[in-house]
């Protein structure tokens, strides 16, 4: 017996044998078809051999610079020299900024099935619109070779370096308990704080019920404070959070009421005591 092959060929043995192994240390011929032969000729059956090869590299390209919420962008998974092409599976994954413990499958593009066994290279696109929750997350793609139930498990997989996502979005006010009404006693101090989530970080403005804020009003970033508030300061106070992508508003209805009867009575008692002390 002997083996006829582009690699690992073996001449006829000197002695008669019932079997003869074919072996090769490293297969470099993708279409290799070893055939055994005897003095009577070649065997009719050939070995069906498939050579698998992991990709030389897997990388991903995407938009340069920050993305805008809701806008569609194109990413590409670049896979170099993987074999065979009909066993290749491509997938895009996303994970939150915390890490890859909770990765999510975004998209698995169709890979054209090919009969050739030689290594192939390809670009596989992903069209995707990020949301504000994707800011700080990571995106990557993978090339997996499906070796079937009889192949090594898990199937060999090669991943690209993660693509770090920066997503810009307009502000959304997150005041707690939200836009509300507030009652305050005349003479007290009013403090209203406004907070919003946005990227880039938003700036804040307050609209007062009067054409101009009272002299005893101070504004520092997102907080407006009015000391010794008067009834004339009653009305709607509107917070505006804005960045280059848009703005968000929230209105607080403030009602200033007079001092309570108990407080007025206490003040009158204090005055009488002072007068009594002065008389004594």
């Amino acid at each position: 017996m002997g083996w006829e092959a582009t690699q690992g060929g073996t001449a006829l043995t000197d002695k008669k044998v019932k079997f003869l192994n074919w072996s090769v240390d490293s297969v470099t011929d993708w279409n290799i078809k070893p055939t055994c032969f005897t003095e009577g000729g070649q065997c009719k059956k050939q070995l069906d051999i498939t050579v698998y090869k992991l990709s030389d590299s897997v990388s991903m390209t995407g938009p340069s610079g920050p993305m805008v919420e809701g806008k569609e962008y194109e990413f590409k998974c670049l896979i170099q020299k993987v074999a065979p092409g009909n066993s290749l599976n491509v997938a895009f994954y996303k994970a939150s900024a915390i890490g890859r413990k909770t990765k999510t499958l975004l998209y698995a593009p169709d890979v054209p099935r090919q009969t050739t066994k030689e290594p192939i290279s390809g670009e596989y696109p992903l069209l995707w619109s990020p949301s504000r929750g994707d800011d700080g997350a990571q995106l990557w793609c993978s090339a997996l070779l499906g070796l079937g139930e009889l192949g090594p498990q898990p199937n060999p997989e090669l991943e690209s370096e993660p693509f770090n996502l920066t997503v810009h979005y307009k502000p959304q006010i997150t005041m707690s308990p939200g836009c509300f009404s507030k009652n305050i006693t005349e003479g007290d101090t009013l403090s209203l704080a406004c907070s919003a989530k946005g990227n880039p970080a938003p700036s804040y403005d307050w609209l007062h019920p009067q054409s101009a804020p009272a002299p005893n009003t101070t504004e520092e970033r997102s907080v407006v404070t009015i000391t010794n508030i008067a009834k004339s300061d009653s009305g709607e106070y509107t917070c505006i959070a804005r960045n280059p992508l848009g703005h968000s508003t929230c209105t607080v209805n403030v009602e200033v009421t007079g001092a309570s009867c108990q407080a007025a009575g206490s003040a009158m008692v204090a005055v009488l005591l002072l007068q009594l002390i002065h008389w004594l």
Side-chain angles (χ1 to χ4, degrees):
M1 285 185 189
W3 280 103
E4 182 178 331
T6 55
Q7 290 179 260
T10 305
L12 283 171
T13 56
D14 295 337
K15 299 179 180 179
K16 296 184 181 295
V17 293
K18 292 185 178 180
F19 64 87
L20 180 65
N21 290 331
W22 174 79
S23 63
V24 61
D25 294 332
S26 177
V27 180
T28 57
D29 183 358
W30 307 102
N31 295 297
I32 193 168
K33 296 179 180 179
T35 304
C36 69
F37 65 95
T38 65
E39 291 179 343
Q42 288 187 340
C43 300
K44 293 183 179 180
K45 189 173 183 180
Q46 293 180 329
L47 289 181
D48 185 14
I49 293 179
T50 300
V51 181
Y52 293 89
K53 175 186 176 299
L54 281 175
S55 175
D56 285 349
S57 66
V58 177
S59 59
M60 194 173 70
T61 62
S64 59
M67 297 177 290
V68 177
E69 179 184 32
K71 186 177 178 181
E72 190 174 68
Y73 296 88
E74 182 180 55
F75 296 82
K76 286 184 179 180
C77 188
L78 311 178
I79 298 176
Q80 300 294 326
K81 295 184 178 180
V82 60
N86 58 3
S87 296
L88 173 64
N89 296 283
V90 181
F92 288 87
Y93 294 96
K94 184 191 72 171
S96 65
I98 300 175
R100 294 192 178 186
K101 294 182 180 179
T102 56
K103 71 176 185 180
T104 303
L105 175 63
L106 278 184
Y107 179 58
D110 291 331
V111 179
R113 298 307 171 190
Q114 304 181 21
T115 57
T116 177
K117 293 185 176 182
E118 289 86 354
I120 64 168
S121 299
E123 295 183 358
Y124 304 92
L126 165 69
L127 294 176
W128 181 62
S129 299
S131 65
R132 62 184 56 208
D134 297 317
D135 185 39
Q138 292 183 329
L139 201 67
W140 72 94
C141 66
S142 76
L144 181 144
L145 279 178
L147 304 183
E149 296 180 355
L150 300 180
Q153 300 296 325
N155 291 317
E157 183 177 16
L158 193 63
E159 295 180 342
S160 68
E161 289 293 324
F163 190 96
N164 296 314
L165 302 176
T166 300
V167 182
H168 283 183
Y169 50 93
K170 76 174 186 177
Q172 182 177 0
I173 291 181
T174 57
M175 290 178 68
S176 180
C179 305
F180 55 94
S181 297
K182 182 177 181 66
N183 294 327
I184 187 170
T185 303
E186 187 177 17
D188 288 350
T189 297
L190 173 70
S191 182
L192 298 175
C194 183
S195 60
K197 289 184 178 180
N199 193 12
S203 61
Y204 297 90
D205 291 305
W206 282 94
L207 296 180
H208 297 257
Q210 301 83 7
S211 57
N216 50 341
T217 301
T218 58
E219 291 186 23
E220 185 176 353
R221 295 176 63 85
S222 62
V223 180
V224 60
T225 302
I226 303 177
T227 58
N228 193 24
I229 195 167
K231 287 186 177 181
S232 58
D233 295 322
S234 297
E236 294 183 343
Y237 291 79
T238 300
C239 170
I240 305 175
R242 55 165 58 92
N243 68 11
L245 297 178
H247 68 276
S248 179
T249 63
C250 185
T251 299
V252 179
N253 186 25
V254 175
E255 183 178 352
V256 182
T257 59
S260 64
C261 295
Q262 180 178 358
S266 299
M268 183 172 294
V269 169
V271 170
L272 291 174
L273 286 175
L274 287 174
Q275 290 178 348
L276 178 62
I277 293 172
H278 178 73
W279 180 77
L280 292 174

